[in-house]
Amino acid sequence: DLWISDMEFKNDCLVYSLFHGQNKVSSFEGTNNWIPFTEQEVNAKEKFASNFMTDFINGKLKIEQPIANTLFEHETQIDVYNNQPLQFSLEAIAVFNAGRELWKYYHAQKNINLNASFYDIRAHFQGRNELGRMNAKSDDATYTALIRELRYTLGLLVDKIKPKIYEYEFLKE
């Protein structure tokens, strides 16, 4: 249970999940609550439908009332993060910086989905084949450079997280 108090590890894992290629959250499935940037950070032309993730990251979530935990028969508060801004490792900050540049580039395009997720942004630039699967690469050189940098920084974050995955026994060697 050591991972429970390792806030940096948990925050690194959050960043990993936001920017990993297997994150298939799509705004076409409903409201995208996984936008990790504010409208100002990415020069969005309008307000996002949800600011949940940036509010969470910045410690601005409001818990309306305690939640009754019937399993243990007492009330508990969900304040794992104590409504404080999350603190990130240097590796996670590098991922955010690379991701922000990708989001900015996307928001500079015409005919975009304002509430696009990371998956939607990748699909926008990479397109889909005749079977509906996302293409592996894009003809857009700027996007290719930005996604390469994001993947590189994500790889550095993975290298930081990996030892703790085994230490905390999520996986065994």
Side-chain angles (χ1 to χ4, degrees), residues 14-43:
L14 171 65
V15 173
Y16 173 80
S17 67
L18 287 169
F19 296 100
H20 189 271
Q22 292 300 312
N23 173 349
K24 295 191 176 165
V25 169
S26 175
S27 62
F28 297 107
E29 312 259 336
T31 303
N32 177 15
N33 295 305
W34 281 58
I35 301 172
F37 306 110
T38 65
E39 296 87 350
Q40 297 77 22
E41 286 180 285
V42 297
N43 303 320

